[in-house]
Amino acid sequence: MATKSTTRKISSRVAEMIRAATVASLLPIFFLYVLLDKPDYKIMNAVQFIVVPTARVIGDGLSWPLRATGRFADNFRAHTRALRENEELRVRLDAALANRAACDIAILENQRLERLLEISREGPLKTVVARVVLEHSVFRHAALTINRGTKDGIHQGQAVVSMDGNLVGIVTDVFDGMAKVRGLEDTRSNIPVRVAGTGVYGFLRGTGTSAPVFEFFSDQEFVPARGMRLVSSGVRGNLPNGIFVGIVDREGQLSARVRLGARIGEVHEVMILMFDGTDGYRN
């Protein structure tokens, strides 16, 4: 029953639209007939003020679906275009954010490396390259003899580093054409060091083995962790600040074993830094 009733309603509306369309199509013919055959001004006024507006209303009503469809199509195209532009902008924004994140990461990584490595920005004004002529590591002592001496400007207390910049030891005895270097592994070696990137100081004590001990921390609550990097601190004034020493290899509460950056038995050439602890770097 509901279906038949709905069908009758649709049929009646279609019939009304057909009648309205028929009337609207006849109105121009009637208007031309009156204008050409019987030019009566009263009828023409009636046509102007009654018939024409009525025809316009009927025409607007009949063309409404088409106009609504056109507006919907225009809105749909505009919406689709806006979605496409929004997607392109989102992609560009994501790329820009990714680039900014990469830049931020690079900056942070650079800052982190600077803190960790603590590279000395003021290098020595002069270095002397020497060749290792003798290594003697006996009875818990570790030392090197190099082929440079007083005639080359070498002095007692100067720092000796490997060719890649890792601390090897300290000059202890100097002769005319040679010098003796005490390695960090030596039991008589005890140099001030610092945890790179922090204000924690301590001492690196040689044990006669390849692994010295980091101990006597300036911070009583400090606990060394594996992977921490140690550099020379220059606290006593007899070493330049910031030379890489080694990495904490084994953790401990009061002390920690350190893996040196340069070991006595692994270096064949070294550099002596012109630093005497009193006058700074020597010219």
Side-chain angles (χ1 to χ4, degrees):
M1 295 296 293
T3 303
K4 292 182 179 180
S5 176
T6 302
T7 303
R8 285 196 298 270
K9 290 181 178 179
I10 294 174
S11 299
S12 62
R13 291 179 180 176
V14 171
E16 291 177 0
M17 293 179 64
I18 293 173
R19 287 194 296 270
T22 303
V23 172
S25 63
L26 293 176
L27 286 176
I29 299 173
F30 174 74
F31 178 75
L32 291 173
Y33 169 75
V34 172
L35 181 64
L36 298 175
D37 189 52
K38 297 180 178 180
D40 190 339
Y41 292 104
K42 292 182 178 180
I43 296 177
M44 293 178 65
N45 290 333
V47 169
Q48 179 182 357
F49 294 105
I50 298 175
V51 177
V52 173
T54 302
R56 184 181 296 113
V57 171
I58 294 173
D60 291 341
L62 292 175
S63 62
W64 175 83
L66 296 177
R67 289 185 286 108
T69 303
R71 286 196 298 270
F72 175 79
D74 292 340
N75 292 336
F76 180 78
R77 285 193 295 269
H79 180 68
T80 304
R81 185 168 57 253
L83 289 178
R84 185 168 57 253
E85 292 176 354
N86 184 58
E87 187 65 25
E88 293 175 356
L89 290 175
R90 185 179 297 277
V91 171
R92 294 170 61 184
L93 177 61
D94 291 341
L97 291 176
N99 290 335
R100 178 178 178 181
C103 292
D104 291 341
I105 291 173
I107 292 172
L108 292 176
E109 181 66 13
N110 183 59
Q111 294 174 351
R112 184 182 71 85
L113 290 176
E114 285 186 352
R115 290 195 301 269
L116 288 178
L117 297 178
E118 290 290 328
I119 300 174
S120 178
R121 298 185 183 276
E122 296 182 0
L125 298 178
K126 182 181 179 182
T127 60
V128 175
V129 177
R131 182 168 51 87
V132 177
V133 296
L134 179 64
E135 174 203 344
H136 35 98
S137 301
V138 293
F139 302 114
R140 302 178 65 83
H141 298 307
L144 294 174
T145 299
I146 58 177
N147 64 343
R148 300 291 184 182
T150 53
K151 66 178 183 179
D152 303 296
I154 307 303
H155 298 275
Q156 184 178 0
Q158 290 176 335
V160 178
V161 300
S162 63
M163 299 305 291
D164 53 358
N166 299 324
L167 186 63
V168 174
I170 308 296
V171 175
T172 56
D173 300 288
V174 185
F175 307 96
D176 185 39
M178 66 179 61
K180 187 177 180 180
V181 179
R182 179 182 296 163
L184 302 180
E185 301 96 327
D186 195 291
T187 53
R188 293 169 295 179
S189 175
N190 192 24
I191 64 169
V193 294
R194 175 170 53 88
V195 179
T198 72
V200 178
Y201 294 83
F203 287 89
L204 186 75
R205 177 176 59 85
T207 60
T209 67
S210 60
V213 175
F214 177 43
E215 57 188 5
F216 299 112
F217 315 125
S218 60
D219 186 349
Q220 299 299 321
E221 298 180 356
F222 172 75
V223 177
R226 184 182 179 90
M228 287 183 172
R229 303 172 69 89
L230 303 180
V231 296
S232 60
S233 69
V235 169
R236 290 180 176 176
N238 60 347
L239 280 177
N241 181 44
I243 303 175
F244 179 71
V245 174
I247 299 176
V248 174
D249 190 45
R250 189 179 303 171
E251 301 176 359
Q253 292 293 326
L254 300 178
S255 63
R257 295 281 183 176
V258 176
R259 183 175 73 253
L260 294 175
R263 298 175 181 176
I264 284 289
E266 299 175 350
V267 293
H268 305 287
E269 281 189 325
V270 294
M271 294 185 293
I272 301 93
L273 306 183
M274 298 291 98
F275 178 84
D276 60 8
T278 302
D279 300 325
Y281 292 113
R282 298 173 60 88
N283 293 318

